[in-house]
Amino acid sequence: MTFVPAPELARSHGHHVRLEGGFCSSSGCGATTLPYKNICSACGCKMNPHVFEPRGTVLYTTTVVTPPPGFEERTPYVIGLIELEEGGRLLAHIVDSGTEIESGVRVEGVVRRLYDRNDGGPLHYAMAFRVTTRS
Amino acid sequence: MKTYITGIGTTSVGEHWDKSLRDLALEAAHQALTDAKRSPDEIGGVWVGSMLSGELSGQSHLGAQIAGLLGIVAPSVRVEGACASGGLAVAQARNALLAGESKPVLVIGVEKMTDHTATEVTGALMQAADHEAEGVFGVTFPALYALLAKAHMEAFGTTRAHLSAVSVKNHANAMHNPKAQFHKEVSQEQVELAPRIADPLTLLDCSPISDGAAALVLEVEPTDRSVELAGIGIGTDTVDLASRASLVELAATRRAAERAYRVADVTPQEIDLAEVHDCFTIAEVLAIEDLGFVEKGEGGRATARGVTAREGRIPVNVSGGLKASGHPVGATGVKQLCELTLQLRGEAEARQVQGAEVALAQNVGGSGGTAVVSILKRI
Ligand SMILES: [Zn+2]
């Protein structure tokens, strides 16, 4: 991967830092989407935009030690598959929580800089998650 | 109508610093044409499978380019479906024959990867993931398969040792394959003590970065050394892992296999040997379950018991698989069929599975967004 170009970064900003996704408008369907798409792939109905609360539980994690270009400085980093409280799943960085993270632990969102490209271009921020300390 | 593999060709797989993308493609193609006793002017169409030629060799437009270099003026198309590009190219070529193309058709799979650093190749391969949901956040392929491994371990009690058994077996098998990338046996301890790539996966759970090409000729009439390409199924699933209904199977494999078994009119129990897409050790565990060789959840234990060994009930990856014979990604799906053709012809020499009549290949793109399952029969 090369650095994300500025127009794409602007276009994706809502998804990357606010979890802008959607819920299916059909009452019986319940499907979610993240990032947002306008038509439900489960039933074909319209998806209503929804900003997800950045809270959920960890299903599985792994620690990446062989990064793609741009991610060298933050390596090693933890990637987790997260189930959001409101429904839906996503893959995200897990920060400030070490590498030994048990399945089922609760996490909360925190916006972080993914990398510093060091060339004057736009910085890439994204929603990361950390293990919840408050009860 | 039936279709037959009438000629095959493969380069050795590894680091070919002295050979370019085109050198590799032409070497395999000329071998296949010679093996089929066909000249370029007899060919009715060319399908070239490659994933990364644009990214790593600065070369797109591979269909016309490779055909032109071969002196073929028939229609030529490049096919891309990540690591399943080769299997998809074979499927498209077969479809042309089924649609009425009467001339022999040529399929080439090729990848040139070792001119670049591991970081650059890791980045290029991430194009097989969902860019907006995965790639943009630095989610690598080892990470995706590591999450699948964690899910399988939690659901079925699959262990680190079960994953190691896949690597140990495939490295042992590659000792008998002169064109394999590695000729070095590994022990369970070596697999588990190798550098971590994405836990629980170590370097020796991962297929290598490889250069290589494979080619085959398909025809509607058999020759004396032909093997029947009895059925191909293509299955798809969401490219991004988080949208999958299940993380303990590759549904695309199951869907592709259902179709391939039906078209070829065989059952999983009738398969004598298989080449499956072990890009990571967990992928072989998933494959032997999703193809119906063992019960769901038993893939790790079955491998550790030797069920898939060369002398086992269903030999899997006798070539050494992607793990040890190498994974030139766009070539892999074609290379698997070349290997199985050798087996069904009885020409696999030291790795020959005696009495093999029916064989299966499974080729996967990405973390399971695409799967191609092909079934070959001795005639
Ligand atoms: Zn819906």
Side-chain angles (χ1 to χ4, degrees):
Chain A
M1 197 197 82
T2 50
F3 292 123
V4 180
E8 180 187 340
L9 214 50
R11 200 164 58 231
S12 310
H13 190 68
H15 161 224
H16 288 182
V17 307
R18 281 193 301 277
L19 303 186
E20 289 181 1
F23 271 110
C24 181
S25 61
S26 166
S27 55
C29 178
T32 61
T33 181
L34 197 71
Y36 179 73
K37 61 176 184 277
N38 59 351
I39 301 294
C40 175
S41 52
C43 76
C45 290
K46 189 179 176 339
M47 305 287 298
N48 289 329
H50 177 76
V51 178
F52 284 86
E53 288 294 328
R55 286 194 304 271
T57 53
V58 167
L59 295 176
Y60 311 105
T61 65
T62 187
T63 304
V64 175
V65 299
T66 54
F71 289 83
E72 294 92 338
E73 283 182 14
R74 73 177 290 125
T75 301
Y77 54 91
V78 177
I79 296 291
L81 178 62
I82 293 160
E83 180 123 43
L84 295 172
E85 280 179 9
E86 295 181 277
R89 293 176 176 180
L90 80 161
L91 291 165
H93 286 249
I94 299 189
V95 298
D96 303 345
S97 307
T99 57
E100 301 296 321
I101 298 162
E102 287 182 26
S103 293
V105 74
R106 296 186 59 209
V107 290
E108 61 192 7
V110 50
V111 173
R112 286 294 163 85
R113 192 168 64 199
L114 277 190
Y115 49 72
D116 187 347
R117 47 192 284 176
N118 294 318
D119 67 351
L123 301 175
H124 186 177
Y125 290 91
M127 186 73 80
F129 287 80
R130 65 183 172 206
V131 173
T132 306
T133 48
R134 61 191 161 79
S135 55
Chain B
M1 186 187 291
K2 293 188 173 184
T3 56
Y4 300 91
I5 297 174
T6 59
I8 56 173
T10 54
T11 68
S12 62
V13 175
E15 184 176 358
H16 290 292
W17 63 269
D18 56 339
K19 289 177 186 168
S20 70
L21 182 80
R22 72 163 74 179
D23 294 335
L24 294 163
L26 296 181
E27 181 180 329
H30 282 131
Q31 274 184 40
L33 289 168
T34 302
D35 191 44
K37 301 188 177 67
R38 292 295 187 180
S39 62
D41 60 354
E42 292 178 279
I43 296 299
V46 182
W47 279 261
V48 183
S50 181
M51 176 188 171
L52 299 169
S53 67
E55 187 76 7
L56 298 182
S57 298
Q59 182 68 62
S60 287
H61 205 179
L62 270 193
Q65 195 222 13
I66 301 300
L69 290 166
L70 288 166
I72 294 172
V73 295
S76 185
V77 178
R78 179 240 181 115
V79 178
E80 192 278 314
C83 312
S85 298
L88 290 173
V90 176
Q92 302 316 304
R94 181 171 183 272
N95 282 345
L97 295 180
L98 296 178
E101 174 58 58
S102 58
K103 291 180 172 178
V105 295
L106 176 65
V107 186
I108 304 165
V110 60
E111 215 71 73
K112 174 71 192 174
M113 304 172 74
T114 67
D115 284 354
H116 298 268
T117 65
T119 297
E120 288 166 340
V121 174
T122 299
L125 286 169
M126 281 167 57
Q127 294 180 7
D130 187 303
H131 173 71
E132 294 195 24
E134 298 171 333
V136 77
F137 301 120
V139 180
T140 62
F141 264 93
L144 292 169
Y145 276 93
L147 294 169
L148 290 170
K150 291 261 182 99
H152 204 276
M153 289 168 138
E154 185 180 280
F156 303 118
T158 300
T159 65
R160 183 49 264 187
H162 294 156
L163 299 179
S164 303
V166 174
S167 185
V168 170
K169 168 181 73 70
N170 291 350
H171 272 270
N173 285 346
M175 298 297 285
H176 304 288
N177 180 356
K179 290 184 173 178
Q181 183 158 355
F182 299 122
H183 295 109
K184 187 179 192 316
E185 295 204 51
V186 300
S187 66
Q188 179 186 338
E189 293 70 27
Q190 284 173 310
V191 176
E192 290 164 21
L193 294 174
R196 283 290 157 106
I197 299 296
D199 66 297
L201 304 179
T202 76
L203 184 65
L204 287 174
D205 288 297
C206 307
S207 56
I209 292 168
S210 312
D211 301 332
L216 52 83
V217 177
L218 292 182
E219 307 192 33
V220 290
E221 295 291 339
T223 59
D224 56 345
R225 290 166 72 236
S226 298
V227 162
E228 186 188 352
L229 178 52
I232 299 189
I234 300 173
T236 54
D237 199 355
T238 63
V239 166
D240 75 301
L241 206 63
S243 296
R244 301 262 174 92
S246 169
L247 292 175
V248 295
E249 65 167 5
L250 296 190
T253 296
R254 191 166 42 72
R255 292 169 185 143
E258 280 168 8
R259 179 169 174 79
Y261 286 133
R262 189 173 70 246
V263 173
D265 193 25
V266 300
T267 64
Q269 291 71 37
E270 292 174 272
I271 303 296
D272 295 315
L273 79 161
E275 289 286 315
V276 308
H277 198 96
D278 60 323
C279 50
F280 299 93
T281 48
I282 181 62
E284 181 167 319
V285 171
L286 291 167
I288 62 175
E289 297 171 359
D290 298 334
L291 293 165
F293 299 154
V294 302
E295 291 290 312
K296 177 49 68 183
E298 292 301 311
R301 278 178 286 274
T303 303
R305 280 203 314 273
V307 170
T308 54
R310 195 149 56 95
E311 311 298 338
R313 172 169 66 79
I314 167 79
V316 172
N317 284 333
V318 173
S319 70
L322 283 57
K323 174 68 206 78
S325 81
H327 182 27
V329 293
T332 288
V334 184
K335 183 167 88 71
Q336 292 175 322
L337 296 185
C338 293
E339 169 71 14
L340 294 174
T341 299
L342 279 182
Q343 285 281 355
L344 295 181
R345 284 176 176 176
E347 297 174 0
E349 299 181 337
R351 62 188 187 282
Q352 181 68 45
V353 174
Q354 296 304 325
E357 298 273 347
V358 184
L360 178 150
Q362 177 237 20
N363 185 203
V364 175
S367 62
T370 299
V372 185
V373 172
S374 307
I375 293 172
L376 306 187
K377 292 179 180 173
R378 192 163 80 178
I379 57 171

